[in-house]
């Protein structure tokens, strides 16, 4: 049963808003403080009433003993005693009466019933604080006859005063607590007002409305959260816009690549086919002649072989653009070695220095292709535009870029030449732009730095992608 109550309490607590929780906790603290204060007054009531009883009875006894000391010297002691008892009946906290017989029948002193009814505490409070009255007998002798005056305490007035104090404390404390709660609710409500705007802004961001902004307000902490949320919304908007531009450029690059391949097929593949067709037609015509011209046959046959060889080179170049030959079969090192040998054979005047770290390890198929394409694109720019005499290619392990998730290693690719560098208004070509976007999509970075000593292309490419 207790576990069910605890579960229900936890569920109800979780459903409460932050404002309701703060207000509820404050109300609980104020009620607890008021209850503790009232309990303290109730606990202190009994010692207070008892001390008052003892003090009143002691003073009354001393007073009675003093005034009755010369009673026998009065002309009429009995009348004088009755007058004293009548005068003392006006006391509030004590009553004095004559003891008429051994049974102790008392004559109560006169008291105000209206006053008692108006200030009378509840019965449970009387029973808790002082359920019994205290009486003391003071013996006196009048003309040789022994009598007694009975002093009886009446703590009702004291208990009424205490009860009035408790009621006043409860009323005043409740009013103060209610005022504090109302003020705190207002302050908390204004302080937490930005939470509603924050919640609505998050909903808008979830719906894709990245232009949403929140006016900073409330407590400094909430204002800081509003500012950070605005920054987050702006960053998300920029990221989405960058993603859109990236997709647009990707499509544009694909179109450019298709156009380039179509142009090469049209400009190079078409003439080769036309030449082959012409030479094949010539061979057919020569075969119909009775007297065959061996020299002409050899000439056309050699021309066909040359055209076929040219087509094979062209085919390898096209395939190299679409997919590096031997990368998957031979691995990254062998494929890069073949690529660099081809560049060295076609440009013998340029010294190519290569360093591939032995601690590079496995990088993954996608990373291998990206590394290969980066080196290929950088070398293409060097040999086309840099007018360099030396170029170095370095591939080595690198630390993980900031912001990358997981525990993947990275490869650093650096291609540096000693050419003329880039002009101040130079813009990157489509090849490097496409390569940068490819690397950024993988979580890496690509930088191009130009100086007096040439151009340095450096890329950090994450490993472990397949």
């Amino acid at each position: 049963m207790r576990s069910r109550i605890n579960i229900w309490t936890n569920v109800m607590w979780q459903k409460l808003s932050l404002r309701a929780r703060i207000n509820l906790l404050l109300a609980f603290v104020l009620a607890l403080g008021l209850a503790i204060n009232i309990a303290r007054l109730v606990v202190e009531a009994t010692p207070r009433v008892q001390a008052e009883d003892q003090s009143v009875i002691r003073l009354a006894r001393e007073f009675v003993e003093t005034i009755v000391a010369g009673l026998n010297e009065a002309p009429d002691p009995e009348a004088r005693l009755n007058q004293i008892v009548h005068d003392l009946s006006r006391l509030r906290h004590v009553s004095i009466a004559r003891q008429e017989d051994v049974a102790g029948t008392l004559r109560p002193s006169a008291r105000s019933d209206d006053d008692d009814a108006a200030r009378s505490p509840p019965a449970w409070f009387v029973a808790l604080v002082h359920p019994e009255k205290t009486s003391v007998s003071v013996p006196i002798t009048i003309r040789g006859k022994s009598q007694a005056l009975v002093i009886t305490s009446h703590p009702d007035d004291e208990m009424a005063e205490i009860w009035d104090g408790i009621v006043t404390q409860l009323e005043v404390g409740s009013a103060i607590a209610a005022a504090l709660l109302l003020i705190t609710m207002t302050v908390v409500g204004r302080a937490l007002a930005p939470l509603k705007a924050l919640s609505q802004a998050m909903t808008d961001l979830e719906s894709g409305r990245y232009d949403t902004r929140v006016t900073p307000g409330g407590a400094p902490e909430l204002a800081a959260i509003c500012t950070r949320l605005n920054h987050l919304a702006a960053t998300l908007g920029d990221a989405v816009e960058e993603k859109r531009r990236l997709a647009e450029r990707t499509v544009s690059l694909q179109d450019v690549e298709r156009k380039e391949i179509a142009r090469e097929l049209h400009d190079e593949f078409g003439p080769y086919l036309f030449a082959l067709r012409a030479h094949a037609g010539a061979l057919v015509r020569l075969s119909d002649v009775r007297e065959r011209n061996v020299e002409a046959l050899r000439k056309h046959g050699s021309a066909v072989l040359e055209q076929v060889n040219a087509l094979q080179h062209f085919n390898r170049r096209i395939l190299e653009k679409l997919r590096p030959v031997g990368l998957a079969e031979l691995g990254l090192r062998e494929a890069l070695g073949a690529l660099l040998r081809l560049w060295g054979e076609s440009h013998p005047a340029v010294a190519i220095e290569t360093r591939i770290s032995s601690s590079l390890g496995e990088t993954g198929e996608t990373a291998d292709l990206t590394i290969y394409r980066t080196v290929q694109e950088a070398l293409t720019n060097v040999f086309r535009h840099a007018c360099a005499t030396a170029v170095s290619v370095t591939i080595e392990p690198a630390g993980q870029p900031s912001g990358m998730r997981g525990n993947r290693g990275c490869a650093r690719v650096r291609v540096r030449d000693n050419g003329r560098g880039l002009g101040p208004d130079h813009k990157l070509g489509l090849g490097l732009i496409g390569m940068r976007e490819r690397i950024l999509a993988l979580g890496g970075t690509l930088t191009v730095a130009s100086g007096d000593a040439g151009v340095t292309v450096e890329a950090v490419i994450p490993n472990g992608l397949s």
Side-chain angles (χ1 to χ4, degrees), residues 227-243:
T227 302
R228 294 188 183 116
L229 183 65
N230 292 337
H231 179 70
L232 175 62
T235 303
L236 287 175
D238 294 341
V240 171
E241 180 62 22
E242 182 64 25
K243 180 181 178 182

Side-chain angles (χ1 to χ4, degrees), residues 109-332:
S109 60
R111 300 179 59 81
S112 176
D113 294 337
D114 294 338
D115 184 63
D116 288 344
R119 303 177 59 188
S120 177
W124 64 267
F125 183 76
V126 174
L128 179 65
V129 174
H130 195 69
E132 297 180 356
K133 296 181 180 181
T134 303
S135 298
V136 174
S137 178
V138 179
I140 58 176
T141 302
I142 299 177
R143 293 179 180 178
K145 182 180 179 181
S146 296
Q147 297 186 29
L149 293 178
V150 179
I151 303 173
T152 304
S153 67
H154 292 279
D156 296 343
D157 292 332
E158 184 67 20
M159 287 189 292
E161 290 178 2
I162 295 175
W163 178 252
D164 284 345
I166 291 175
V167 172
T168 302
Q169 181 72 21
L170 183 61
E171 293 174 349
V172 175
S174 299
I176 294 175
L180 288 176
L181 183 60
L182 183 61
I183 294 173
T184 305
M185 288 174 63
T186 304
V187 173
V188 170
R190 292 183 178 180
L192 298 182
L195 288 179
K196 185 176 181 180
L198 283 171
S199 177
Q200 183 61 42
M202 291 179 182
T203 303
D204 294 340
L205 290 178
E206 186 179 3
S207 303
R209 294 190 289 272
Y210 301 109
D211 57 343
T212 299
R213 297 295 183 269
V214 181
T215 302
E221 295 82 359
L222 290 178
I225 293 175
C226 293
T227 302
R228 294 188 183 116
L229 183 65
N230 292 337
H231 179 70
L232 175 62
T235 303
L236 287 175
D238 294 341
V240 171
E241 180 62 22
E242 182 64 25
K243 180 181 178 182
R244 186 195 63 78
R245 289 195 297 265
L246 176 60
E248 183 179 346
R249 285 197 295 267
T250 301
V251 173
S252 177
L253 288 173
Q254 289 176 350
D255 291 338
V256 170
E257 289 179 352
R258 292 189 182 100
K259 290 178 181 178
E260 185 177 354
I261 294 175
R263 180 183 57 80
E264 291 183 356
L265 289 174
H266 179 271
D267 295 345
E268 298 190 33
F269 200 77
Y272 289 141
L273 291 178
F274 178 79
L276 283 174
R277 182 183 182 87
H279 289 297
L283 289 174
V284 171
R285 288 193 299 273
L286 288 174
S287 64
D288 293 336
V289 179
R290 292 183 179 181
E291 295 181 2
R292 297 182 180 180
N293 188 343
V294 177
E295 185 64 27
L297 290 173
R298 185 179 294 110
K299 177 183 177 181
H300 288 292
S302 299
V304 169
L305 289 176
E306 290 178 2
Q307 298 298 322
V308 170
N309 288 332
L311 281 175
Q312 287 178 340
H313 286 292
F314 175 73
N315 183 57
R316 280 198 299 269
R317 190 167 70 249
I318 294 295
L319 291 176
E320 185 71 20
K321 289 184 178 181
L322 298 176
R323 180 71 178 179
V325 178
L327 180 60
E329 295 80 4
L330 302 178
L332 178 63

Side-chain angles (χ1 to χ4, degrees), residues 15 46 65 218 276 299 351 359 411 431 462:
K15 290 182 178 179
T46 298
E65 289 176 349
L276 283 174
K299 177 183 177 181
S359 59

